[in-house]
Every structure is written in C-alpha cells, then in structure tokens.
Amino acid sequence: MHCYPWKSVITKPCVSHVLSVRHFTKHFPGAKSHTFLRTRFHSDTHTDVVVPDVAVSTTTSCFKSLSSTQQTQIHLYVDTLLQWNQKMNLTATKEADEVMERHIEDSLAILPPIKTCYNLQSNGLYNQISLIDVGSGAGLPGLVLAIACPDWRVTLLESINKRCVFLEHVVTVTGLTNVKIVRGRAESCGHDVMYREKFDVAIARAVAEMRVLAEYCLPLVRIGGLFVAAKGHDPKEEVENAENAVRMLGGSILQISPVDSHSPYGQRTTVVCRKDHSTPQKYPREAGTPSKLPL
C-alpha cells in the first residue's frame, strides 16, 4: 500500500523550545448497535439530505481485520506507550490487554461511521483523506487511524511538548510515513492559513464537551468535510445542547452512531457533523475562551 511520503516533524506555530527525543528516551526502560439521532441538513444544492442509520459493531475485533504489518505496528505503539507511561502521564491504563480493549478497539471503531458519512456526504476520495486529530495526547485515535489507513495524511495536534516528543518517537518506532506532528493549540491553528479549513476530517476523543469541540475542530475542516467526536455511552443531551454552536460554526449534525466497545459502559458513541459553509472569521476565539465560555 502506498504511504504519503510525509516527513514526520514537530512544527511549532507558537512555541520556542522543543526537547529532543533522546532527552526523554534516556529516562525510560527499554454487540449490536443503533442510531440515536438522524439530522437533516441543507446541502450546497439546498436539497434535504438524511444520513441513513448506521449499524456499527465491534463484537468482532477490528484489530484482527488489520494486516500483519499493521498489527505489528499497533503492538509496537502499545509497548512504547506503556514504557513511556512509567514516567509520563499518557494513560490511566497500565496493562497491554487493557490498552488494546479500551483504546485501540475504540479508536478503530470510529472508522465505519467516518467511511459511511464521508462516502455519502463529502466530495472527496475516502482512501485519500487528510485528517487532523485535535488534542491528540498519546496519539488516540490519530496514530491508530494512521496505522489502519496508511494512505491517509494524518496530522496530530497537541499543545504539550512532552507528548509531542513521545508522538515523534512512536512515529519513528512504528515506521509511519503518513503522520505530521504539530505542537500548538486549536484556537491558534484555527486562524493559521496552513490549517484553517484545510482538512477533510477533524477528530477529537476525550478532549472536551461538544460545544467546545465544535469550536476547536470545525474551523479546521474544509467545506464538505467532517467533524467527528468520539463520545461516551449516551451523549444525546450534550449533542442537542451543541446544535446551535455547530450551526454557528458552519456545520450541521449528521448522526450519532453508537458502537459496542470495552468502555466502562459497554459502548462508545461517534458523533458526526458536516461542514456546510465557512466558519465566521471570529472563530475560534482566543485561547481558553471556548472552554470557559462555550457557545
């Protein structure tokens, strides 16, 4: 499979000092689903469109559907994550089996809703998506998606330098060539011409509530692209509260798609929004404001 020949680098839109990988490395030892909601929106041709119900199940392991090379890359990522987690706060999960069940499978379970919505609603090729993972943290779900979809171009946006160094190290260990790491805040990158409305898909997992996520993510998505939020077992009220914010930022909610998983409640939910028109220039607001004063 062809991989985009991206050079994996940490770019620094608003920072002055990046610590080396070597500086950190030396300190470490070697079911059934249904759709809760369907929302109509007006497409560019002003025709009502409804995304069909999507049944997504991870009862059968998504991991096992990967190639042997991809499975090896996942194992390398998990091993590195747990190794670095001994000195850094990357995940509360301490065992490899738990990481596989609660993080890897959850991340892979996001793919079917993205594929369904993107193929139906976006004017682009699914196998050539440019995706940004906002608040990537330990690389979930962005790194996992980059492994599973080697023809995608994946940008990992993370504001904390130590985590960026970890992400860079994982990219080296796994041999990924389709990943770029950006150190910065979503509020700043949302106004940077290099990133504003440049991505087919913006995704976030375990970052913030929907109103805040919408302001972080939608400014980065091109018109016709998708904003995808990985949420908990029942985000219906949260999503309903965010409808106005999504609309203000140029989007519309397409669907809430529950998927079986190994989260504490037995399932997680993928919320998919479409970018219908440009985000007003005043958004995102300055750093810290979206979380303090959600739209």
Side-chain angles (χ1 to χ4, degrees):
M1 237 181 221
H2 172 70
C3 293
Y4 283 85
W6 282 24
K7 181 181 179 182
S8 175
V9 296
I10 300 177
T11 61
K12 317 181 292 297
C14 306
V15 298
S16 58
H17 181 62
V18 177
L19 299 176
S20 69
V21 174
R22 181 178 298 175
H23 174 85
F24 284 93
T25 304
K26 70 180 181 181
H27 297 292
F28 295 91
K32 177 180 178 181
S33 65
H34 58 281
T35 299
F36 283 119
L37 172 70
R38 291 183 295 166
T39 302
R40 289 181 181 272
F41 72 94
H42 292 283
S43 67
D44 296 335
T45 57
H46 304 287
T47 302
D48 277 351
V49 179
V50 179
V51 174
D53 288 353
V54 178
V56 180
S57 175
T58 58
T59 302
T60 301
S61 170
C62 296
F63 172 76
K64 291 179 180 178
S65 69
L66 301 177
S67 70
S68 59
T69 298
Q70 291 168 323
Q71 290 185 20
T72 298
Q73 288 176 306
I74 292 289
H75 284 306
L76 287 170
Y77 165 59
V78 171
D79 289 345
T80 305
L81 172 63
L82 292 174
Q83 186 182 56
W84 283 57
N85 199 51
Q86 295 177 34
K87 298 292 184 179
M88 289 174 58
N89 182 23
L90 292 168
T91 177
T93 307
K94 306 300 183 183
E95 301 295 331
D97 287 347
E98 281 189 280
V99 174
M100 292 297 298
E101 291 179 349
R102 308 185 81 169
H103 294 310
I104 302 303
E105 292 288 359
D106 275 1
S107 296
L108 292 172
I110 297 170
L111 285 171
I114 294 177
K115 182 175 183 178
T116 298
C117 291
Y118 195 83
N119 285 339
L120 285 173
Q121 306 301 335
S122 296
N123 54 345
L125 297 176
Y126 174 76
N127 63 351
Q128 295 181 4
I129 281 177
S130 62
L131 177 145
I132 184 166
D133 179 13
V134 176
S136 188
L140 298 162
L143 269 172
V144 178
L145 300 183
I147 291 171
C149 304
D151 286 336
W152 287 11
R153 294 159 290 165
V154 176
T155 297
L156 307 179
L157 176 60
E158 172 55 45
S159 63
I160 298 176
N161 189 61
K162 290 190 296 183
R163 292 177 182 169
C164 288
V165 174
F166 164 74
L167 294 172
E168 178 70 17
H169 181 63
V170 172
V171 167
T172 300
V173 168
T174 57
L176 288 170
T177 59
N178 61 335
V179 175
K180 180 168 72 171
I181 299 160
V182 176
R183 181 187 172 192
R185 294 183 65 104
E187 300 98 323
S188 300
C189 289
H191 288 287
D192 191 320
V193 294
M194 289 181 62
Y195 307 111
R196 186 177 178 88
E197 299 192 335
K198 299 297 186 185
F199 296 92
D200 299 315
V201 177
I203 195 165
R205 179 179 185 264
V207 174
E209 64 152 293
M210 276 293 298
R211 291 179 297 170
V212 178
L213 285 183
E215 190 167 357
Y216 288 165
C217 294
L218 277 168
L220 299 166
V221 180
R222 67 169 177 83
I223 296 173
L226 302 178
F227 155 44
V228 180
K231 305 301 292 182
H233 73 293
D234 186 7
K236 186 176 181 180
E237 183 177 352
E238 178 184 342
V239 173
E240 289 174 348
N241 291 338
E243 285 188 60
N244 185 57
V246 170
R247 185 166 53 251
M248 289 171 62
L249 294 159
S252 58
I253 297 170
L254 289 181
Q255 70 173 33
I256 303 177
S257 178
V259 295
D260 298 330
S261 80
H262 296 273
S263 70
Y265 291 98
Q267 78 175 22
R268 291 189 63 84
T269 310
T270 300
V271 182
V272 183
C273 304
R274 184 182 188 270
K275 181 74 169 282
D276 299 322
H277 53 80
S278 289
T279 300
Q281 195 60 43
K282 64 181 178 180
Y283 300 115
R285 293 166 292 169
E286 64 182 17
T289 303
S291 59
K292 293 176 183 176
L293 299 170
L295 293 174

